[in-house]
Amino acid sequence: MALPGARARGWAAATKMAQTRRHAEGAKGSLSPAPPSPRAALYVHWPYCEKRCSYCNFNKYVPRGVEEAAMRSCLVTEAQTLLGLSGVRRVDSVFFGGGTPSLASPNTVAAVLEAVDQAAHLPADSEVTLEANPTSAPGSRLAAFGAAGINRLSIGLQSLDDKELQLLGRTHSASDALQTLAEARRLFPGRVSVDLMLGLPAQKSGPWLRQLQELLGYCDDHISLYQLTLERGTALFTQVQRGTLPAPDPEVAAEMYQEGRALLREAGFRQYEVSNFARNGALSTHNWTYWQCGQYLGVGPGAHGRFVPQGAGGHTREARIQTLEPDNWMKEVTLFGHGTRKHVPLGELELLEEVLAMGLRTDVGITHQHWQRFASQLSLWDVFGSSQEVKALLVQGLLLLDHRGLRCSWEGLAVLDSLLLTLLPRLQEAWLQRAPSPGQGG
Amino acid sequence: MWTLVGRGWSHGRALAVWAAGTAQRGRLEPLPTPTRGAPAEFRAWDRLYTSAERKEKIDMSRFSVENIRNFSIIAHVDHGKSTLADRLLELTGTIDKTKNNKQVLDKLQVERERGITVKAQTASLFYNWEGKQYLLNLIDTPGHVDFSYEVSRSLSACQGVLLVVDANEGIQAQTVANFFLAFEAQLSVIPVINKIDLKNADPESVEKQIEKVFDIPGDECIKISAKLGTNVERVLQAVIERIPPPKVHRINPLRALVFDSTFDQYRGVIANVALFDGVVSKGDKIVSAHTKKIHEVNEVGVLNPNEQPAHKLYAGQVGYLIAGMKDVTEAQIGDTLYLHKQPVEPLPGFKSAKPMVFAGMYPIDQSEYNNLKSAIEKLTINDSSVTVHRDSSLALGAGWRLGFLGLLHMEVFNQRLEQEYNASVILTTPTVPYKAVLSSAKLIKDYREKEITIINPAQFPEKSKVTEYLEPVVLGTIITPDEYTGKVMMLCQARRAVQKNMIFIDQNRVMLKYIFPLNEIVVDFYDSLKSLSSGYASFDYEDAGYQTAELVKMDILLNGNIVEELVTIVHKDKAHSVGKAICERLKDSLPRQLFEIAIQAAIGSKIIARETVKAYRKNVLAKCYGGDITRKMKLLKRQAEGKKKLRKVGNIEVPRDAFIKVLKTQSDK
């Protein structure tokens, strides 16, 4: 597995020229996948962090020393193996997530991208995103990632309040974050996203909105808003449990979300998904693939994928997960070429359920055409048109079902999980009652 | 009767069943520790296989009526009833002195908390005094007014009682209730002041209380220390001197009172009987005056205190009888047994058990239904006074509506389910049986009676169709240190009680008598009383019939839809506070939904309380990318499944927990 940096840089250099702001059209046109298709998105998981954040229960490890060369080689191998297995001919986007992938060396990123381009085609205008932490990504390093082929950055800024950053266990300060953001924008204009958290213990709505307002003065064209979820096993969870921190108030979080999204709307952002806001068409095409139930490959410890293993003669989409623990994963990749721990075929109904639950997260929702690709015999009207319960949601103005398709209203998007508790059982029911047809699409 | 707990020496039987059949010994606090369990098992073994063969049958004919005394011991909890009984048994050689006889009886926690004395043992004591051998029958009584009927039946087999009063604590509410039961039965009362060895004992003052409250001359009190044995012999002598022998006739046909019965899984029902007339022996065919069923006697004997077979039992004597009865309902307390073809006038006062407190009982999880069913069956096989009706609630699923003699009876039953059968249950707030006197001719025709009892609020007839509603009332006795009198009176007033009487029983203690609506004391009265008096006030009550009451049916509405499970019958004066409390509890337990929910309490069309649950504005805003989808879908599907099981009132989903929180007995108010 020789990974000549020159070739990697070669791919990256070639793409430089082709990088245009084409994602405005992209989100609508080429991005709706037609499964099964020889195309896919690719996720690469870098499992290491400098330190543990107090809220994070992800698959991440704080290593004593990373043998990066071994890791790099395994990522490359697994990407090659899975691409071969999937029969994918074209990769539309790559996302380096973690962990803290900005701790990896640009060489590693370049090697993976090179391998992807070799095994399948990685068009020059593909979206290639790197998650970056402010402290681990000084400007020079960001430039090196750019040279390696990264063309979009997602910065884990989280807060503009140093006390809150401390509470979250982040290693950066607000000024670190703003500095990184400024450098990132200079290097990747129009292609920088920032994450902002809401609903922290003791956080008040007013100050948080002022943070968001302040952020609007610095940010690029993409913002993600996440509510803090207290996950079992995290330091924050324990502190709240013990009463040393107040439990976040769901009422206050609701207020932040509603006012925050209104503020972003005024600032020209489109809420294209429950947590994601973009202006000037800067939607993340990679994430869009998830919500449209396109195929994606997951490479790296604990990475998830969903694809049809066409290269191995498969016809059914599988949900796949790679071995979680990095050392074990590396052993498996070394031995077998991949570290897939589990692959479960997705039933037709299951896939439809995902199409429904994921599609409704987006502002365009599920168009009739999109639905037809997965359920040729059962239209959205068939499923939802006659249900009284669904009708009640339509009347309440939370949901819309019309000639375009099924989607949430502005109010409905905030309570989508509740809507799904009505819609999913309805889909199951309709599926069981459907006229048996041999040619059911899948 | 709830026999397993307190049947004195028959207790061994119950322990043997537990020991053999359950792996829960560790949970049976305060049931058998190894030292207690072992003799209990031994007793059971002994009785089962060898008692009849190994022991000589006693000839009871040598005890003539004039040498027989039948008596009970009655006392407030912890005043020393059991210790005195132990000493009497030792003195008469009935049980071995060297054995550790300290408080042979085990008690449930609830019994201690609630001031119930478990039944003392029924035992025949053989005692020589002044050259004559006497047969002294110590007859057990349950120690709480919930069981006042059983107490009265037990007392009707006696001619006298030992009224034990603690020299330190003095007369307590239960002492008073017990005294009047004995007094009404026209029994000789021997006051015994116990625990005179205690440092703070003040027997003189207690003597004065007894004079004042019971009108018994102070010099009739016997001052003892049952613990140390001081003066206990004098008690036995007083039994012989002051209690008359029973007035009975051996030559008349058999007339035997059943004053207790237990169920033994190997031998069937064991009835404790007192013979008022005649003789009974093995092979006799006997008839129950109540059921008219005929049974053949397999075994008779005396309780010594274990069952000791005898050839015959004679008039005036007390013992047990086994006659192939398969169910305790075939030997109900108060029933009269007579010989086949020789019918007699039944002894007066028989009543079937009359439940006064009802509660719904549901398994926490419906999959536990069958286990709970079997546990309830096992418990009620020994307790025919619990009425069991299958019931089902839209919210709580399949369960039962159980009727109990009183609150304590209910708590004992529930605690035994938990402790002995490891069954966790939802017990709904207890209700009382209301009555309505009907005026509507049509309803009278439907019910075929003018006065109906309402157990289920759904049956509550409209006001326009009744002349009046009635509610059960009790006469409550409270004895409290004077300093708490004000607070106690306020509590009673808040419970709609009417004061009947108030006397100082000594310089600083007051006895208050109130008529309480039973409904007002079934939930948390006892706890409130105890807490406002720092534990010093004692309370007891007795049935006092029914009184007119302005009852109303209160509906609980969710966005205008009536919640059937929560329909409540309530006194007009309490409607607002009860309605408000239910609305508040619902508000706290109803999850927010996609629309606003109005929770209302209403009487007819009039809204008397309201709470609002605001609409749900947003779900938890979590990211959802490639790695999150599987988990997210799993969570959504689980939630959707859970939602299917929710009870819907209109379009509002009400989780079972919300009903439980509203319906469940609230002990901490």
Side-chain angles (χ1 to χ4, degrees), chain A residues 238-354:
Chain A
T238 314
Q239 282 172 283
V240 171
Q241 205 74 346
R242 287 193 189 135
T244 47
L245 279 177
D249 181 346
E251 266 306 284
V252 175
E255 198 179 316
M256 290 179 198
Y257 181 59
Q258 298 297 16
E259 301 206 5
R261 63 202 289 234
L263 187 65
L264 286 168
R265 180 156 71 173
E266 280 165 40
F269 280 84
R270 162 181 165 198
Q271 184 178 9
Y272 71 104
E273 194 260 354
V274 174
S275 289
N276 287 284
F277 302 78
R279 64 183 168 197
N280 301 324
L283 291 71
S284 161
T285 61
H286 183 84
N287 291 337
W288 190 265
T289 304
Y290 294 139
W291 303 319
Q292 293 294 301
C293 286
Q295 292 203 107
Y296 59 97
L297 277 59
V299 172
H304 287 247
R306 267 168 171 66
F307 62 87
V308 181
Q310 275 186 343
H315 299 286
T316 309
R317 183 185 289 216
E318 293 179 349
R320 299 181 146 249
I321 179 163
Q322 311 308 107
T323 293
L324 274 174
E325 203 276 317
D327 291 345
N328 293 340
W329 171 82
M330 280 200 267
K331 270 180 215 153
E332 289 170 36
V333 175
T334 312
L335 282 169
F336 313 116
H338 65 87
T340 303
R341 175 51 58 103
K342 204 171 147 190
H343 51 110
V344 185
L346 283 173
E348 289 174 84
L349 173 61
E350 258 179 301
L351 184 55
L352 281 182
E353 287 168 344
E354 291 189 1

Side-chain angles (χ1 to χ4, degrees), chain A residues 409-439:
Chain A
S409 69
W410 169 261
E411 291 77 22
L413 201 58
V415 290
L416 170 61
D417 286 357
S418 300
L419 303 183
L420 285 170
L421 299 186
T422 297
L423 301 176
L424 284 170
R426 178 60 214 135
L427 171 58
Q428 281 172 15
E429 207 181 354
W431 178 260
L432 292 174
Q433 289 164 355
R434 78 199 189 281
S437 81

Side-chain angles (χ1 to χ4, degrees), chain B residues 436-587:
Chain B
V437 181
L438 301 173
S439 61
S440 145
K442 185 183 173 300
L443 277 187
I444 294 172
K445 207 179 144 202
D446 289 350
Y447 283 105
R448 273 175 281 166
E449 54 190 348
K450 202 169 154 51
E451 191 176 289
I452 58 165
T453 301
I454 309 149
I455 291 164
N456 184 340
Q459 307 159 333
F460 193 76
E462 282 174 41
K463 198 168 181 193
S464 63
K465 290 176 180 156
V466 301
T467 316
E468 61 176 350
Y469 298 112
L470 303 169
E471 65 179 336
V473 288
V474 295
L475 176 63
T477 302
I478 297 166
I479 293 182
T480 176
D482 186 29
E483 56 193 294
Y484 303 113
T485 310
K487 283 189 193 167
V488 170
M489 287 170 73
M490 272 169 57
L491 173 68
C492 293
Q493 242 165 26
R495 300 305 178 111
R496 299 194 286 123
V498 177
Q499 198 183 85
K500 287 288 159 195
N501 194 350
M502 170 171 165
I503 60 165
F504 277 83
I505 61 172
D506 58 22
Q507 281 94 333
N508 46 33
R509 283 162 20 104
V510 178
M511 178 166 79
L512 298 151
K513 295 220 176 218
Y514 278 90
I515 291 285
F516 284 94
L518 178 59
N519 168 53
E520 294 289 339
I521 59 166
V522 293
V523 179
D524 57 358
F525 178 77
Y526 187 81
D527 292 333
S528 305
L529 180 71
K530 278 287 174 194
S531 102
L532 70 77
S533 66
S534 311
Y536 283 111
S538 62
F539 174 67
D540 211 335
Y541 65 88
E542 59 193 278
D543 188 4
Y546 275 78
Q547 74 180 15
T548 304
E550 286 195 72
L551 302 175
V552 290
K553 183 165 95 168
M554 183 170 67
D555 293 322
I556 301 296
L557 311 169
L558 294 181
N559 284 356
N561 300 296
I562 292 178
V563 188
E564 288 160 58
E565 291 87 338
L566 301 182
V567 175
T568 312
I569 298 171
V570 62
H571 191 271
K572 210 179 100 204
D573 296 348
K574 286 294 179 86
H576 177 71
S577 60
V578 173
K580 191 162 173 282
I582 294 179
C583 289
E584 282 168 0
R585 261 187 253 160
L586 259 181
K587 185 190 175 179

Side-chain angles (χ1 to χ4, degrees), chain A residues 58 226-227 231 251 257-258 274 276 287 290-291 296 306 353 361 396 414-418 422, chain B residues 592 594 616-626 629-633 636-637 639 643 648:
Chain A
F58 273 34
Y226 303 125
Q227 181 178 349
E231 301 279 5
E251 266 306 284
Y257 181 59
Q258 298 297 16
V274 174
N276 287 284
N287 291 337
Y290 294 139
W291 303 319
Y296 59 97
R306 267 168 171 66
E353 287 168 344
R361 294 185 70 86
Q396 255 184 283
V415 290
L416 170 61
D417 286 357
S418 300
T422 297
Chain B
R592 290 189 172 196
L594 292 171
Y616 193 41
R617 287 166 67 197
K618 83 162 199 28
N619 299 118
V620 173
L621 178 66
K623 60 177 190 57
C624 187
Y625 302 123
I629 295 174
T630 302
R631 184 163 87 144
K632 178 92 189 167
M633 293 310 295
L636 283 170
K637 282 191 211 170
Q639 286 174 342
K643 184 182 154 102
K648 282 194 118 185

Side-chain angles (χ1 to χ4, degrees), chain B residues 649-668:
Chain B
V649 176
N651 58 345
I652 298 158
E653 287 155 351
V654 187
R656 200 159 175 266
D657 270 2
F659 281 106
I660 293 172
K661 280 189 190 128
V662 176
L663 291 172
K664 208 179 155 183
T665 310
Q666 305 276 308
S667 52
D668 50 347

